[in-house]
């Protein structure tokens, strides 16, 4: 078990006073920081930039029905519309090119059993229609599929835009993140920046992604990080549905790099040690699965890998540390962060402001028995 470091005395003076210190600026931290600032909170983000974080490598796909049973994504009715609205608001607020791309998803049936399971969900509000069999030299889907309402987010441009915005407001510091520097008290959390600047925040919120699995405060939680690989490819666009996401054993997501550019993914590997690296096995696996769906040989433009911050029960982790109620976590989104993070950031804001009660499905207290001093868990 990982125990928190001994709590040092708080600084006697704190020249910089904040509402929230956010540690980490992947998708979770970026969305949460923007949500809090727009609500009037004074925020500082401290982050160690990582060009190959899961947030940057991800295709940003929001798929309302997932898996072989076509299960509806958790709280899809409220969280998915909130996500689309959030990203569109960021585009407007920051004056960026489009970041959120609402697009139909062709969820294609790979077997008769899955076709039966999928057609049973045809009345879902996220199902736009059914798709007849597709059998051409460019696309193989002999059993047809469902047409879903969904879309994808350009995650890297979003993170770059939000980071630049935070920097312009003096709300971002790029430096090594050391959570052992946190100095919690009953009323707040002290922190000392690399240049010696001291600050005091009402809350410190850890959004560290996979690094949380080794964090001194929250490393006892049941993270199950897994590595994923993706390919950026060029395919002949003729014969493929324009501006449409394909999803069967792989996803094929249109990219803005040019007509016929797609991101293909993803692999899931719970065994590989960090850091995640592109592998020949992962590349071959993705190309083999893509060939079953889209036969023309692609040109591989890029091959990337990252580790996702997944959790044992596949639900995010929100809430205060059991022994230090001013230190919080907002993490564990796995492969669902694009769809879940905006709505859950708004929910967390309501909890921190005392207007809402933390949903039990995401409350870290569900793992109370794992904490070394579990009797102290509220």
């Amino acid at each position: 078990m990982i125990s928190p470091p001994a709590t040092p005395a708080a600084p006697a003076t704190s020249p910089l006073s904040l509402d929230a210190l956010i540690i980490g600026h992947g998708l979770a931290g970026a969305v949460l920081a923007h949500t809090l600032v727009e609500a009037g909170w004074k925020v500082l983000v401290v982050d160690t930039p990582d060009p190959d974080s899961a947030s940057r490598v991800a295709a940003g796909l929001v798929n309302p029905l997932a898996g072989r049973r076509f299960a509806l994504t958790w709280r899809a009715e409220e969280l998915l519309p909130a996500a689309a609205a959030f990203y569109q608001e960021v585009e407007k607020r920051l004056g960026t090119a489009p970041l959120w791309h609402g697009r139909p998803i062709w969820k294609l049936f790979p077997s008769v059993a899955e076709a039966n399971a999928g057609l049973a969900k045809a009345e879902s509000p996220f199902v736009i229609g059914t798709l007849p069999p597709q059998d051409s030299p460019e696309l193989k889907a002999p059993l047809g599929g469902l047409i879903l309402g969904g879309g994808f987010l350009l995650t890297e441009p979003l993170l770059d835009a939000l980071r630049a915005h935070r920097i312009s407001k003096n709300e971002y510091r790029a430096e090594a993140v050391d959570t052992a520097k946190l100095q919690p008290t009953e009323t707040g959390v002290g922190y000392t920046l690399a240049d010696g600047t001291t600050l005091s925040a009402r809350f410190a919120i850890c959004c560290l992604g996979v690094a949380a699995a080794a964090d001194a405060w929250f490393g006892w939680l049941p993270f199950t990080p897994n590595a994923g690989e993706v390919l950026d490819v060029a395919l002949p666009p003729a014969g493929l549905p324009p501006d449409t996401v394909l999803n069967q054993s792989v996803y094929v997501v249109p990219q803005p790099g040019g007509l016929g550019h797609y991101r293909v993914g993803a692999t899931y590997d719970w065994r590989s040690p960090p850091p995640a690296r592109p592998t020949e096995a992962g590349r071959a696996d993705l190309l083999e699965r893509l060939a079953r769906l889209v036969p023309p040989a692609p040109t591989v433009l890029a091959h990337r890998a990252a580790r996702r911050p997944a959790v044992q029960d596949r639900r995010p982790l929100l809430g205060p540390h059991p022994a230090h109620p001013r230190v919080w976590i907002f993490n564990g989104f796995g492969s669902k962060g694009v769809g879940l993070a905006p709505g859950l950031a708004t929910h967390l804001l309501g909890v921190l402001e005392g207007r809402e009660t933390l949903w039990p499905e995401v409350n870290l207290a569900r793992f109370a028995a794992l904490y070394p001093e579990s009797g102290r868990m509220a």
Side-chain angles (χ1 to χ4, degrees), residues 7-290:
T7 304
T13 60
S14 297
L16 183 59
S17 180
L18 304 168
D19 292 308
L21 170 67
I22 295 178
I23 302 175
H25 196 258
L27 184 69
V31 168
L32 180 61
H34 188 76
T35 299
L36 297 182
V37 169
E38 291 299 297
W41 283 46
K42 187 174 182 180
V43 164
L44 179 69
V45 177
V46 181
D47 176 56
T48 307
D50 180 1
D52 291 314
S53 69
S55 296
R56 290 182 172 273
V57 172
L61 182 61
V62 174
N63 185 353
L65 298 179
R68 295 181 179 179
R69 297 182 180 180
F70 294 81
L72 186 64
T73 297
W74 175 70
R75 289 188 180 251
E77 295 90 342
E78 56 191 305
L79 294 180
L80 300 193
F86 175 88
Y87 301 126
Q88 290 168 333
E89 183 274 332
V90 170
E91 294 170 8
K92 182 178 179 180
R93 177 81 169 81
L94 274 58
T96 69
L99 300 168
W100 169 252
H101 296 261
R103 294 291 186 272
I105 299 174
W106 284 15
K107 181 74 171 174
L108 303 170
F109 303 138
S111 68
V112 173
E114 292 185 36
N116 291 335
L119 291 172
K121 301 294 179 71
E123 299 304 316
S124 167
F126 290 100
V127 175
I128 300 172
T130 56
L131 190 71
Q134 309 288 308
D135 191 3
S136 71
E138 295 84 11
L139 180 60
K140 299 293 184 182
L143 297 175
L146 297 178
I147 304 175
L148 309 179
F152 61 93
L153 174 72
L154 299 178
T155 56
E156 286 196 283
L158 173 88
L159 293 174
D160 290 342
L162 286 175
R163 181 186 178 194
H165 186 62
R166 298 275 79 82
I167 290 172
S168 73
K169 303 293 184 180
N170 295 317
E171 296 166 347
Y172 180 96
R173 293 289 293 265
E175 62 181 65
V177 176
D178 183 2
T179 57
K181 288 185 177 182
L182 294 178
Q183 302 170 333
T185 69
E186 292 184 1
T187 58
V189 181
Y191 191 79
T192 303
L193 298 171
D195 64 2
T197 300
T198 60
L199 57 87
S200 178
R202 292 195 296 127
F203 300 97
I205 307 174
C206 297
C207 308
L208 290 171
V210 293
D215 176 61
W217 301 98
F218 296 104
W220 53 274
L221 289 165
F223 289 98
T224 56
N226 62 85
E229 299 181 48
V230 300
L231 299 176
D232 286 344
V233 305
L235 286 163
L240 293 181
D243 292 327
T244 299
V245 176
L246 304 178
N247 184 217
Q248 195 187 74
S249 60
V250 292
Y251 55 69
V252 184
V253 180
Q255 296 294 288
L259 188 63
H261 286 198
Y262 298 88
R263 183 157 293 179
V264 177
T267 63
Y268 289 81
D269 187 350
W270 284 264
R271 299 163 298 174
S272 66
R277 293 187 175 91
T279 67
E280 287 303 316
R283 175 189 175 110
D285 178 40
L286 290 173
L287 290 176
E288 191 277 330
R289 284 190 273 157
L290 176 63

Side-chain angles (χ1 to χ4, degrees), residues 285-312:
D285 178 40
L286 290 173
L287 290 176
E288 191 277 330
R289 284 190 273 157
L290 176 63
R292 293 183 222 150
L293 183 63
V294 183
T299 299
V300 176
L301 305 173
H303 182 188
R304 302 176 70 184
R307 289 176 67 80
R308 307 176 184 91
V311 180
Q312 187 180 77

Side-chain angles (χ1 to χ4, degrees), residues 335-348:
S335 61
K336 301 292 186 182
V338 171
L340 300 183
L344 285 177
T346 299
H347 173 53
L348 184 62

